[in-house]
């Protein structure tokens, strides 16, 4: 029989998403000898340009931003020891409601079946034992995250594979601590209006609905450095402001909801590969 290593595939929307929600598990499982495959769906061209210039402003060149963000992504992958990087290179759709949502060729405008067929080919090639992506709301409603969820779940239907499948999430208790920490480091941050506060309160899940809690404390330094590799987006990456020690305290556990399983392993579990080794 041909040896095939256990394989984790993470499907993310933009450069830097790999570090925010899954940097810990990617680093941990790479250190444990598991093959880690990152699929990044968009080019990140709606990110900040040099000097923090915003999309749509004079001097913002999406192609140049995309090139820089690819370089940063490759640096992040080196930090996390990711085995394989695959980029689908769809145009970044921007935040929900931006004009870039409607641009032909943007990820949001791409037919789900088209994107899923490309991802299914990668799944057949790598044959992942575990697949991680976002929930149906893309965790917080970003169109490219929603689309990444859609193509991932459709691609799985297109293949004969039966990996364990997880959606990233965050327990509400952690969201509360996160909000408190944001206010601590950004004293001038205005209080959200009631509608915004209500929307924020719906992000994540009650703690007892989290199926999988993975301790990645030992790899929080790598996760921090991977985020720091995305220097062009530093203005948007709040976590970098708190320093490594505080970051590790707040971000040392990564949490998921298991939505497909053939192992029968009981939940809650503390390992994405529980039942597979």
């Amino acid at each position: 029989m041909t040896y095939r290593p256990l394989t984790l595939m993470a499907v993310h929307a933009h450069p830097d998403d790999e570090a925010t929600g899954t940097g810990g598990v990617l680093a941990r499982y790479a250190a444990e000898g598991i093959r880690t495959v990152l699929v990044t769906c968009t080019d990140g061209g709606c990110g900040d340009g040099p000097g923090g210039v915003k999309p749509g402003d004079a001097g913002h060149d999406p192609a140049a931003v995309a090139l820089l963000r690819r370089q940063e992504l490759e640096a992040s992958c080196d930090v996390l020891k990711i085995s394989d990087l695959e980029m689908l290179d769809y145009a970044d759709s921007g935040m929900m409601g931006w004009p870039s949502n409607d641009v032909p060729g943007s990820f949001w405008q791409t037919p789900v079946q088209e994107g899923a067929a490309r991802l299914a080919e990668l799944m057949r090639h790598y044959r992942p034992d575990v697949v991680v992506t976002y929930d149906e709301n893309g965790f917080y409603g970003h169109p490219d995250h929603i689309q990444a969820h859609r193509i991932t779940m459709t691609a799985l239907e297109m293949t004969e594979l039966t990996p364990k499948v997880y959606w990233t999430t965050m327990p509400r208790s952690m969201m509360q601590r996160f909000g408190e920490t944001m206010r601590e480091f950004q004293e001038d941050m205005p209080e959200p209006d009631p509608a915004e506060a209500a929307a924020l309160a719906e992000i994540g899940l009650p703690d007892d609905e989290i199926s999988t809690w993975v301790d990645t404390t030992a790899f929080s330094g790598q996760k921090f450095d991977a985020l720091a590799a995305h220097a062009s987006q530093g203005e948007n990456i709040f976590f970098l402001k708190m320093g490594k020690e505080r970051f590790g305290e707040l971000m040392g556990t990564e949490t998921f909801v298991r939505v497909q399983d053939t192992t029968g392993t009981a939940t809650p579990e503390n390992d994405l590969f529980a039942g597979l080794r």
Side-chain angles (χ1 to χ4, degrees):
M1 293 179 64
T2 302
Y3 169 73
R4 187 181 68 82
L6 284 171
T7 300
L8 166 65
M9 175 180 282
V11 183
H12 281 292
H14 312 98
D16 77 24
D17 290 332
E18 80 290 339
T20 305
T22 57
V25 292
L26 287 166
R28 171 180 162 166
Y29 290 124
E32 293 178 4
I34 288 171
R35 186 178 200 178
T36 51
V37 180
L38 170 63
V39 180
T40 301
C41 296
T42 80
D43 60 10
C46 285
D48 287 356
V53 63
K54 304 299 181 185
D57 290 349
H60 188 278
D61 179 353
V65 171
L67 177 60
L68 175 58
R69 296 196 71 184
R70 179 176 185 119
Q71 294 167 348
E72 292 175 338
L73 177 60
E74 290 170 351
S76 172
C77 289
D78 286 343
V79 170
L80 298 173
K81 309 300 181 186
I82 290 171
S83 310
D84 300 271
L85 170 63
E86 298 283 354
M87 293 195 72
L88 300 185
D89 267 334
Y90 290 108
D92 190 340
S93 309
M95 299 296 286
M96 190 67 80
W98 286 12
S100 48
N101 295 174
D102 302 320
V103 173
S106 70
F107 192 37
W108 189 236
Q109 291 299 317
T110 299
V112 170
Q113 293 290 322
E114 176 190 318
R118 293 181 62 194
L119 182 57
E121 282 303 304
L122 293 175
M123 289 180 174
R124 294 185 187 104
H125 174 72
Y126 289 107
R127 303 188 68 81
D129 300 280
V130 172
V131 173
V132 175
T133 191
Y134 315 102
D135 63 20
E136 58 266 70
N137 190 46
F139 184 59
Y140 69 100
H142 193 296
D144 288 331
H145 290 227
I146 294 169
Q147 191 75 329
H149 163 86
R150 291 173 176 171
I151 73 161
T152 301
M153 301 312 291
T154 304
L156 286 163
E157 293 175 359
M158 291 178 171
T159 72
E160 77 288 0
L161 305 174
T162 56
K164 295 178 79 176
V165 180
Y166 294 88
W167 296 343
T168 58
T169 190
M170 189 174 287
R172 297 267 167 81
S173 61
M174 191 181 296
M175 287 297 298
Q176 183 177 348
R177 291 198 302 275
F178 177 61
E180 293 167 355
T181 305
M182 284 189 70
R183 284 188 287 274
E184 176 186 340
F185 282 87
Q186 295 180 217
E187 294 179 356
D188 59 345
M189 187 175 73
E191 288 291 329
D193 63 43
E196 185 180 345
L200 288 172
E202 292 301 311
I203 293 177
L205 289 172
D207 291 33
D208 61 1
E209 294 182 21
I210 307 289
S211 69
T212 311
W213 305 68
V214 184
D215 182 2
T216 61
T217 305
F219 303 93
S220 60
Q222 275 177 265
K223 180 172 177 173
F224 184 94
D225 290 342
L227 278 168
H230 296 280
S232 69
Q233 308 306 304
E235 182 182 325
N236 300 319
I237 303 176
F238 160 76
F239 305 105
L240 297 176
K241 298 177 182 178
M242 64 179 71
K244 275 189 178 180
E245 183 176 349
R246 193 66 183 277
F247 177 84
E249 293 171 0
L250 188 67
M251 306 295 289
T253 300
E254 292 182 351
T255 50
F256 306 86
V257 174
R258 192 175 78 188
V259 295
Q260 179 174 300
D261 173 60
T262 56
T263 68
T265 306
T267 58
E269 59 187 1
N270 59 11
D271 180 8
L272 298 179
F273 288 86
L276 295 173
R277 55 179 176 169

